[in-house]
Amino acid sequence: MAAIARIRLPVRSSQLKVGEKKYTKEHEWIELSEDGKTGTIGVSVYAAENLGDVVYVELPTLDLEVSAGDSIGAVESVKSASDIMTPVSGKIIEANDVLQVKPGTINKGPEGEGWIARIQVIDEGEVEALMGLEEYRKFTEE
């Protein structure tokens, strides 16, 4: 009789779905990679609309170690300037250099091609504690 092979699938601790964004009260978002170790950070559509036309983006320094809520850069628009805060703790591993040349990319696709940085996430639980899309929508309507 042939032995039956047992396959063990990795168990993820996260309740997040791949591609699900989580939001902060400061209007930043983070989306985890499939392995849950890397997150992409950006500003929400709501924030981009309220900023107006973005004219300059200060990107974070690579290898910068940060705690949740730390400023990692800034966005300047014709209306105002705002700090970009990291939603979670970790180490910045990539910045979206396109924004140096085309800062308006944030206005065109703030939750897509206008992402700000990628971070190596220390604690996935910090991501899980953030607001989901529906909760964030309610928050912005208050």
Side-chain angles (χ1 to χ4, degrees):
M1 184 180 219
I4 297 174
R6 291 190 179 207
I7 299 172
R8 289 189 172 260
L9 298 174
V11 178
R12 286 187 58 202
S13 62
S14 175
Q15 299 300 314
L16 294 176
K17 296 179 184 110
V18 173
E20 178 184 5
K21 289 181 175 70
K22 298 290 258 181
Y23 298 84
T24 69
K25 291 181 178 178
E26 291 76 29
H27 308 291
E28 284 87 17
W29 58 264
I30 185 165
E31 180 180 341
L32 287 182
S33 60
E34 282 190 44
D35 66 7
K37 295 180 182 186
T38 304
T40 302
I41 298 170
V43 298
S44 69
V45 170
Y46 178 87
E49 289 172 353
N50 283 288
L51 276 169
D53 293 335
V54 175
V55 295
Y56 176 76
V57 179
E58 178 188 330
L59 294 172
T61 306
L62 296 184
D63 296 325
L64 178 68
E65 293 188 13
V66 294
S67 297
D70 286 353
S71 175
I72 60 169
V75 176
E76 293 181 19
S77 72
V78 293
K79 290 176 159 181
S80 67
S82 298
D83 284 338
I84 302 163
M85 314 297 229
T86 177
V88 298
S89 303
K91 181 166 76 170
I92 301 297
I93 57 172
E94 186 178 357
N96 188 354
D97 292 331
V98 168
L99 301 178
Q100 293 291 311
V101 180
K102 296 180 181 178
T105 304
I106 288 180
N107 297 109
K108 293 176 184 154
E111 294 192 29
E113 64 185 17
W115 59 275
I116 305 288
R118 292 207 167 96
I119 188 169
Q120 186 175 26
V121 178
I122 292 173
D123 181 1
E124 199 176 326
E126 286 182 336
V127 178
E128 292 173 12
L130 299 171
M131 292 181 277
L133 180 59
E134 284 308 310
E135 187 179 357
Y136 179 69
R137 279 189 183 147
K138 289 177 185 170
F139 170 75
T140 60
E141 293 169 357
E142 292 176 353

